[in-house]
Amino acid sequence: MKRGYDYIVLGGGSAGCVLANRLSADPACNVLLVEAGPRDWNPLIRVPLMAGQFYRHKLHNWCYLTEPEPHLDNRRIEWPRGRVLGGSSAINGMVYTRGNRYDYDQWAQLGLRDWSYEKLLPFFRKFEDFRGGENAYHGTGGELPVTRPNTPHPFYDTFEQAGLQSGLKFNPDFNGEEQEGVGRYHSSIGDGERWSTARAFLDPVRGRRNLDIVTGASVLKVNIENGRAVSVDLIANGLRTNVSAGREVIVSCGAISSPTVLMHSGIGPQSDLRALGIDVKVDAKGVGQNLQDHANVRMQYSSKSKDALFALRRFDRAALALARAVLLRSGPATKFPLEAGAFLRSRPELAAPDLQMHFTPGISTANLRYPFRRLPPGAYEGYGFSGNVCHLRPESRGHIRLKSADPRERPAIHVNYLATEGDRLSMREGFKRLRGMFHQKAFDDIRGEEVWPGPKVKSDDDIDAFIRANAASIYHPVGTCRMGIDDDAVVDEQLRVRGVDGLRVIDASIMPNLVSANTNAPTIMIAEKGADYILRAH
């Protein structure tokens, strides 16, 4: 690591890896990428089926917890975030969805005219290597493989048939002309392996002499002098160091850490920062506000025939499948079972889908069976299938706040899930629609009993109580460094931090409204577009 660089990118996750690739493409520029987690050396990262385990363990997961959520029975909700080069793209479910045209056109209607769907589509196409072939909606030859999983298991076909029977249409491409319908998801799995952004965007360019990648380094703050970001204070290898930035500092630490980096640097709500003894550089009321996430509920059924995951819940068979995946890139562990799903509306009058379903042809592999292990109380051990539904367009807003002036202390996360009646109505309807899917005629030959939550949950009050007691995150936090044209927006249309030169935020935290999709693909697009802004500016 040198004393100075042209660009310093803070955060080696879904956005940061893309930025490091694009900015270092100019050999005249020196680029530093800083990641708090370790290198992505672990071969299990590349095994798709390991995603379910990484969600639950600290090996490559920051394991955040929200503060008690008042509308979810004051429960603290688990928030897995990737703690490794590649960030959450190294531990996520690899579902590749972009969102609805309506999402981005709404951004444009807020005055962000450069962020309409038509203007963003070329940036999505640029980084794709779509294995289904190039067309108007997909690109080929990019860094990220995008594939159409087609695992042959009858439960997937059953779910699709149930969707048709419930009134949905078949959709062969959720990222194509329309989003609504039932079908199979695209994924960021290629040749039997997970493709994180580190794998896709960093591996091909790690040999560039003008790119330094530092892992295990904590960001303390960005130093601002005379209204400009000039350097960054880090702790690397146990030592505090200062690195200067000749052109720009780019914060790409995600919806939790990007606002905390800004606040520790003196950019945030003035009263909050002064109360902690932090020197205020810019009174930016919007930093840490506008937090949004997709709330999610799950259902499980027993089945009359063997599911796709039952064998993998036995420890020895799971271990064999992992070995095959690592050594041969073959076998059941080279897939992730979230292949089928649906986008639908909770109410017909809505302009676009506000519900998303993910279907699993089995029960979770988290409860492995091996000698002398006791499963959790109530854990179901037989054949089954399951699904979840999430609310895509939450009205509720939360916030991130610092607990102290120490950058190493985690912030307080207040999501405020289901704070509005509209959100509660949509979640209740989503529960009913998911249960209705599982009770279509297509499932009659395989459906057993409803294991979770069970038939005792019937009335609207029962459903609401179940949601309050069991709803969780589907891990899509955004919005805490909101982009906008108003004075309270944290960044402008080109992702420049208001009130500070030479400083941008480029990641999911800039979203003004949460997109109606899994958020990894939109985050990569944001980085692609942000890199374009930077390169054109310089």
Side-chain angles (χ1 to χ4, degrees):
M1 186 166 56
K2 307 180 185 72
R3 298 290 298 173
Y5 294 83
D6 296 299
Y7 300 107
I8 300 176
V9 180
L10 303 179
S14 293
C17 292
V18 179
L19 290 161
N21 177 303
R22 299 297 187 238
L23 298 179
S24 65
D26 180 358
C29 297
N30 290 310
V31 179
L32 173 65
L33 176 64
V34 179
E35 166 58 32
R39 290 260 177 176
D40 56 332
W41 58 265
N42 188 340
L44 295 180
I45 289 174
R46 297 192 178 190
V47 178
L49 196 62
M50 278 300 296
Q53 298 300 320
F54 285 138
Y55 284 153
R56 299 173 180 89
H57 299 289
K58 295 182 179 180
L59 182 61
H60 295 306
N61 183 355
W62 289 109
C63 296
Y64 287 102
L65 283 173
T66 71
E67 297 300 303
E69 284 292 318
H71 306 285
L72 296 183
D73 288 351
N74 287 313
R75 291 180 295 121
R76 301 186 73 184
I77 307 302
E78 294 180 353
W79 267 25
R81 296 281 89 196
R83 191 184 70 86
V84 64
L85 200 62
S88 294
S89 74
I91 70 168
N92 67 6
M94 295 152 288
V95 176
Y96 182 91
T97 56
R98 295 175 177 165
N100 196 290
R101 176 189 298 265
Y102 178 77
D103 298 327
Y104 303 106
D105 288 346
Q106 270 195 321
W107 294 7
Q109 291 170 12
L110 295 173
L112 302 163
R113 301 184 185 279
D114 215 15
W115 292 82
S116 68
Y117 176 81
E118 292 297 333
K119 291 187 177 180
L120 295 180
L121 181 57
F123 292 98
F124 279 113
R125 295 180 76 250
K126 179 181 178 180
F127 64 78
E128 282 186 354
D129 185 18
F130 184 57
R131 301 295 170 85
E134 185 173 8
N135 58 42
Y137 296 97
H138 294 285
T140 57
E143 289 84 359
L144 186 71
V146 177
T147 56
R148 284 175 166 157
N150 195 27
T151 300
H153 193 279
F155 284 19
Y156 286 127
D157 298 331
T158 299
F159 180 80
E160 291 179 355
Q161 286 298 314
L164 298 177
Q165 291 169 0
S166 72
L168 298 176
K169 61 184 177 182
F170 176 71
N171 190 337
D173 184 355
F174 292 133
N175 299 309
E177 184 176 0
E178 288 188 74
Q179 183 190 48
E180 193 165 9
V182 62
R184 299 281 187 111
Y185 289 113
H186 294 157
S187 73
S188 52
I189 298 173
D191 306 317
E193 296 184 305
R194 170 198 293 277
W195 282 73
S196 70
T197 53
R199 172 88 186 278
F201 294 92
L202 287 187
D203 279 2
V205 303
R206 290 184 197 245
R208 287 178 179 168
R209 294 184 177 181
N210 64 328
L211 173 62
D212 287 346
I213 302 170
V214 176
T215 55
S218 301
V219 178
L220 298 178
K221 66 174 181 174
V222 179
N223 295 299
I224 300 165
E225 296 179 4
N226 300 318
R228 182 175 185 82
V230 296
S231 66
V232 177
D233 287 346
L234 307 170
I235 294 181
N237 298 319
L239 300 175
R240 181 166 181 151
T241 185
N242 176 268
V243 186
S244 64
R247 292 186 178 180
E248 293 196 25
V249 176
I250 303 106
V251 181
S252 299
C253 300
I256 300 172
S257 294
S258 284
T260 62
V261 167
L262 293 186
M263 287 187 279
H264 284 297
S265 305
I267 305 167
Q270 179 175 269
S271 58
D272 292 353
L273 300 186
R274 284 182 173 168
L276 295 173
I278 297 173
D279 185 26
V280 178
K281 300 293 184 179
V282 178
D283 181 13
K285 296 180 176 61
V287 174
Q289 303 299 310
N290 194 48
L291 177 61
Q292 302 157 61
D293 186 26
H294 289 146
N296 168 72
V297 289
R298 186 172 183 81
M299 304 184 78
Q300 295 182 348
Y301 284 75
S302 65
S303 66
K304 301 173 185 177
S305 55
K306 190 174 183 179
D307 63 56
L309 300 178
F310 184 78
L312 293 174
R313 290 163 61 198
R314 207 173 88 177
F315 178 77
D316 56 339
R317 292 177 179 173
L320 179 61
L322 291 179
R324 283 185 63 189
V326 171
L327 299 175
L328 304 175
R329 290 189 295 178
S330 66
T334 61
K335 306 176 185 298
F336 197 65
L338 295 182
E339 291 191 15
F343 289 92
L344 60 157
R345 309 177 204 211
S346 64
R347 303 179 295 284
E349 66 269 19
L350 296 179
D354 66 327
L355 299 173
Q356 181 182 7
M357 294 178 181
H358 297 84
F359 173 72
T360 304
I363 304 298
S364 172
T365 58
N367 294 325
L368 290 176
R369 304 189 303 273
Y370 54 82
F372 310 113
R373 184 190 179 190
R374 291 185 178 180
L375 292 178
Y380 177 68
E381 296 189 70
Y383 300 154
F385 58 87
S386 56
N388 58 47
V389 60
C390 70
H391 178 215
L392 294 172
R393 304 184 185 282
E395 300 168 342
S396 305
R397 296 292 184 269
H399 59 269
I400 302 276
R401 281 195 179 147
L402 299 183
K403 292 182 178 179
S404 80
D406 185 352
R408 293 165 294 188
E409 184 170 349
R410 295 187 174 196
I413 302 170
H414 300 268
V415 194
N416 206 25
Y417 288 110
L418 305 184
T420 73
E421 183 55 39
D423 287 354
R424 294 190 288 272
L425 173 64
S426 294
M427 282 299 298
R428 185 189 314 134
E429 188 62 27
F431 177 95
K432 293 178 180 179
R433 294 293 296 272
L434 181 60
R435 177 181 267 173
M437 288 275 278
F438 289 151
H439 284 266
Q440 294 296 326
K441 184 178 179 181
F443 274 103
D444 285 353
D445 290 339
I446 66 170
R447 182 181 58 249
E449 295 181 354
E450 184 177 303
V451 176
W452 183 256
K456 62 185 181 297
V457 176
K458 294 180 180 179
S459 69
D460 284 356
D461 287 344
D462 293 339
I463 293 171
D464 289 347
F466 173 76
I467 291 171
R468 287 195 304 272
N470 295 281
S473 171
I474 204 164
Y475 320 137
H476 298 158
V478 307
T480 49
C481 296
R482 178 177 64 88
M483 171 176 58
I485 63 172
D486 57 290
D487 292 340
D488 286 340
V490 179
V491 299
D492 66 11
E493 189 176 34
Q494 296 190 26
L495 310 183
R496 298 171 295 201
V497 174
R498 294 181 179 277
V500 184
D501 292 332
L503 181 63
R504 299 186 204 235
V505 177
I506 303 179
D507 58 30
S509 71
I510 64 92
M511 292 186 188
N513 295 316
L514 180 53
V515 295
S516 54
N518 307 74
T519 50
N520 192 55
T523 301
I524 297 173
M525 176 278 295
I526 289 168
E528 192 77 82
K529 187 168 179 61
D532 184 69
Y533 280 134
I534 294 171
L535 293 171
R536 285 195 285 124
H538 295 283

